[in-house]
Amino acid sequence: MKKSVNIDEKIGATKFFVDEEYAHLKIKSPEVCHNCLSKPCLNFCPAGVYRFSDNKLVVSYQACLECGSCRVGCPFMNIHWDYPRGGFGVSYKFG
Amino acid sequence: MESYSFDVVIVGGGPAGLACGIKLAEKGVNTLLIERGRFCGSKNLFGGVVYTSSIKEIVPEFPEVSQSPVERPVTEEGYIFFSTKGVVKFFHTKSDSQEAFTALRARFDAFLSEYALKKGLLIAPKTKVVDIILENFKVSGVIVDRPRSFKDLRPAEVKAKIVILAEGVNRLLTEKAGLVKGPFKPEEVVLAIKEVLQLPKGELEKRFGLNEKKGLAAELIGEITSGLPGTGFLYTNTNTLSFGIGIFLNTLVNSNLKPYEILERAKAHPYLHELLDGAEILEYGAHLIPEWGLQGLPKLYGNGVMVVGDAAGLVNPLFREGTNLAIYSGIMAAETALEALEKGDFSEKTLKSYEERFKESYIYKDLLLFKNLKKFLLNNRQIFETYPNLIYEIFSLYFSAQGQYKKEVVREIIRTIKRKRGLFGVLKDIINLGRLFW
């Protein structure tokens, strides 16, 4: 049984201060993603930051929960991972 | 001001960094704590439960404080085994209700930082440390993502005699300082996702059988993670619930699974469906739990630097320890820093006494005791798949034994065990479990 879940709705409950000037997650080489068969990042990322559309990997760093899973979960270590700038990014009210 | 200089700079305002900061500020040490979030706690997330004994080490008056930073005392604590059909609950009612409390990190850590400020700790929020300064093989400060001045926009340098890395599980600076070789591996961390849920008014205490002086902390095993290696948790806060699951990251990566789909599937289980009916999601979050244990332990000290808390991987998943170990390690680092400041020597030779303190503590002894736990859990998936179902089936037979010859019921139970795991399999599992500790 597979249940489709709207991750955007969940993320919508969480507070963010989005840094429009600095994308803290970057794909090192788009070529590597293109050739990656399993693309596990599309699934294991708990915020659904990584999506594949128009034959391209799209990174919505704005919704990133900064957990660090993709830094080590990418089988090709193809993600340049950094924290957002000070004061930006996820800001938990509960935590 | 063109350059900043402190005796000690602490990177990260979680329990480890703040415990360290409180101890140093109390002794009048010129200390700066740098936090990248908008306030201490805003980047932090845990299950979670905090323990009074550890908090008292830094806030002796706890829990008698105005504006309590905790939610409910933990009075009901235990395990719920989830089978596809139902659950088996195993609970303990605590007599001392002041021993542990449920908590939310954005509130708890903010409380600690307020407390630290009153003790004289300097805290710089909304500031990210981007690098460490290395001079003559010694860490001598950090570089932050703030300009030096209005005129000089280069990143500011903050000099320090000692830098304490309390940066959390994603230990980028610990790697840069050369205290650990490269990033951790997916099998060394658990990805936890959590929802803070609000039930319709008045429903929380009613559904969980609580009053305002009681709280529940439950670990959930089995179908809750769809049988994958990991667990779930359900804790009652004052007016909300903390609910989530944690699964080894390598399992999610290798099986190509969406953690939030597993979470939703768990919420649809008949037992939880009824408990959580009508709940509104107030917040959704994710965090990695460092479970690399002794094998992945970084070198805890270097010239001018020490590592504390999650950055070092100080957690005990089986006994739900992490926040308390962070506090203890922060205190040990503070004691070592005081010693070094008195000596005027900040080299490895002096800071090694932090590791000595650590090795004498139960934290290290526990890490040693549990050194094979992670491998055991990953290699014995029947703990998460077979056993919760088996436990449910056994109790189902036992509790519906009326009107039958009881010897026949016992036979049926044994047949069930044989079918699900085999008597030899169970024996093997018990021996392997025992071997973990002896």
Side-chain angles (χ1 to χ4, degrees):
Chain A
M1 183 191 80
K2 214 168 172 185
K3 218 174 150 192
S4 171
V5 181
N6 187 346
I7 183 61
D8 297 330
E9 227 168 79
K10 283 191 193 295
I11 289 290
T14 305
K15 197 171 172 69
F16 289 89
F17 290 88
V18 174
D19 189 348
E20 301 291 356
E21 289 167 38
Y22 175 64
H24 68 281
L25 305 171
K26 286 184 203 92
I27 300 295
K28 289 178 190 167
S29 156
E31 186 87 310
V32 172
C33 296
H34 192 82
N35 293 328
C36 174
L37 291 176
S38 60
K39 296 187 189 31
C41 61
L42 306 183
N43 292 311
F44 71 69
C45 170
V49 162
Y50 300 93
R51 289 174 201 196
F52 202 70
S53 76
D54 294 335
N55 228 2
K56 226 178 87 192
L57 199 83
V58 183
V59 186
S60 310
Y61 72 92
Q62 297 88 340
C64 174
L65 295 165
E66 298 158 39
C67 71
S69 295
C70 60
R71 182 166 88 103
V72 297
C74 170
F76 300 99
M77 298 298 260
N78 194 37
I79 296 161
H80 183 271
W81 195 93
D82 192 9
Y83 287 115
R85 290 191 296 175
F88 288 105
V90 68
S91 193
Y92 290 123
K93 284 187 284 182
F94 300 95
Chain B
M1 202 156 66
E2 293 285 315
S3 74
Y4 307 85
S5 183
F6 293 88
D7 285 336
V8 180
V9 162
I10 302 168
V11 183
L18 285 165
C20 187
I22 288 168
K23 288 292 169 195
L24 292 172
E26 279 175 340
K27 297 280 179 191
V29 177
N30 183 23
T31 310
L32 173 73
L33 185 147
I34 304 173
E35 163 60 41
R36 67 186 182 88
R38 295 177 88 82
F39 58 90
C40 291
S42 67
K43 295 288 184 187
N44 305 346
L45 184 136
F46 80 152
V49 176
V50 292
Y51 302 98
T52 304
S53 54
S54 62
I55 303 166
K56 271 183 173 298
E57 296 278 332
I58 45 172
V59 185
E61 56 270 40
F62 183 83
E64 267 74 52
V65 289
S66 55
Q67 294 270 323
S68 176
V70 292
E71 300 289 315
R72 282 171 184 267
V74 176
T75 54
E76 302 286 319
E77 198 166 12
Y79 294 90
I80 306 178
F81 297 96
F82 278 74
S83 100
T84 40
K85 293 179 200 140
V87 301
V88 175
K89 297 194 259 183
F90 181 80
F91 270 80
H92 172 252
T93 305
K94 268 193 176 170
S95 51
D96 179 9
S97 59
Q98 300 293 296
E99 208 172 76
F101 293 88
T102 55
L104 295 159
R105 291 293 294 281
R107 290 176 188 167
F108 182 76
D109 294 6
F111 162 83
L112 285 185
S113 74
E114 286 297 320
Y115 188 86
L117 280 175
K118 282 188 203 129
K119 295 282 172 189
L121 181 70
L122 210 57
I123 300 178
K126 297 191 204 173
T127 307
K128 182 172 78 166
V129 172
V130 294
D131 210 346
I132 48 169
I133 306 169
L134 270 170
E135 283 171 342
N136 304 322
F137 306 104
K138 182 198 174 294
V139 175
S140 62
V142 297
I143 300 170
V144 296
D145 68 345
R146 295 276 194 105
R148 292 185 188 193
S149 68
F150 285 115
K151 285 179 193 148
D152 187 350
L153 295 179
R154 286 178 298 166
E157 292 191 343
V158 185
K159 292 295 192 104
K161 291 169 181 151
I162 301 172
V163 172
I164 292 169
L165 300 174
E167 58 181 333
V169 59
N170 290 300
R171 49 188 194 188
L172 302 183
L173 299 168
T174 309
E175 284 172 26
K176 282 186 174 169
L179 297 172
V180 71
K181 230 180 172 179
F184 45 79
K185 294 181 186 72
E187 60 268 29
E188 291 180 312
V189 288
V190 163
L191 172 56
I193 58 172
K194 170 182 171 177
E195 286 178 353
V196 176
L197 300 167
Q198 185 153 47
L199 293 180
K201 205 169 164 58
E203 284 294 302
L204 190 143
E205 292 187 348
K206 210 165 90 189
R207 286 187 201 178
F208 289 89
L210 304 169
N211 62 36
E212 72 216 8
K213 289 199 174 81
K214 288 183 175 173
L216 168 136
E219 309 304 314
L220 323 174
I221 303 172
E223 199 41 37
I224 196 84
T225 56
S226 304
L228 299 167
T231 54
F233 56 90
L234 182 63
Y235 306 138
T236 56
N237 304 314
T238 312
N239 296 311
T240 59
L241 289 171
S242 290
F243 169 68
I245 51 168
I247 297 171
F248 277 100
L249 181 59
N250 65 326
T251 308
L252 293 170
V253 173
N254 298 340
S255 320
N256 234 334
L257 294 166
K258 290 185 167 73
Y260 42 89
E261 281 184 357
I262 300 168
L263 186 86
E264 282 308 305
R265 203 183 140 173
K267 281 163 89 176
H269 188 279
Y271 177 75
L272 280 179
H273 188 72
E274 213 176 297
L275 268 183
L276 304 181
D277 185 41
E280 187 198 342
I281 303 174
L282 299 185
E283 189 172 84
Y284 169 76
H287 204 85
L288 289 180
I289 306 169
E291 296 199 9
W292 50 72
L294 215 51
Q295 289 94 338
L297 190 78
K299 191 171 170 233
L300 294 176
Y301 64 98
N303 287 316
V305 64
M306 289 183 270
V307 188
V308 295
D310 266 10
L314 308 183
V315 302
N316 184 335
L318 208 53
F319 285 82
R320 212 178 41 211
E321 290 184 287
T323 304
N324 60 339
L325 306 185
I327 290 172
Y328 295 137
S329 68
I331 295 170
M332 288 188 276
E335 285 166 357
T336 308
L338 287 169
E339 214 174 75
L341 285 162
E342 201 165 297
K343 271 200 205 167
D345 178 47
F346 313 102
S347 71
E348 265 194 314
K349 231 171 71 193
T350 304
L351 300 188
K352 191 182 192 320
S353 85
Y354 168 51
E355 192 190 64
E356 285 159 9
R357 283 182 171 83
F358 173 76
K359 286 204 165 164
E360 276 167 27
S361 73
Y362 86 95
I363 310 176
Y364 172 74
K365 289 174 189 162
D366 272 0
L367 282 179
L368 199 63
L369 184 66
F370 290 96
K371 65 180 189 301
N372 296 320
L373 178 69
K374 182 184 68 226
K375 211 169 136 195
F376 177 79
L377 295 177
L378 283 169
N379 291 338
N380 290 275
R381 299 204 170 184
Q382 64 274 19
I383 297 167
F384 310 99
E385 281 171 347
T386 314
Y387 280 106
N389 278 308
L390 182 59
I391 289 166
Y392 181 81
E393 300 244 330
I394 289 170
F395 280 99
S396 296
L397 290 166
Y398 178 81
F399 286 121
S400 46
Q402 292 79 4
Q404 289 178 69
Y405 179 35
K406 302 305 176 283
K407 197 164 181 175
E408 204 35 60
V409 176
V410 173
R411 278 196 188 126
E412 185 56 37
I413 287 175
I414 291 170
R415 270 199 294 274
T416 306
I417 296 171
K418 278 183 177 166
R419 202 178 60 238
K420 294 242 169 201
R421 182 65 188 151
L423 293 178
F424 183 70
V426 173
L427 191 69
K428 205 176 78 184
D429 291 336
I430 292 170
I431 291 170
N432 282 339
L433 190 68
R435 264 201 199 142
L436 260 186
F437 300 103
W438 282 279

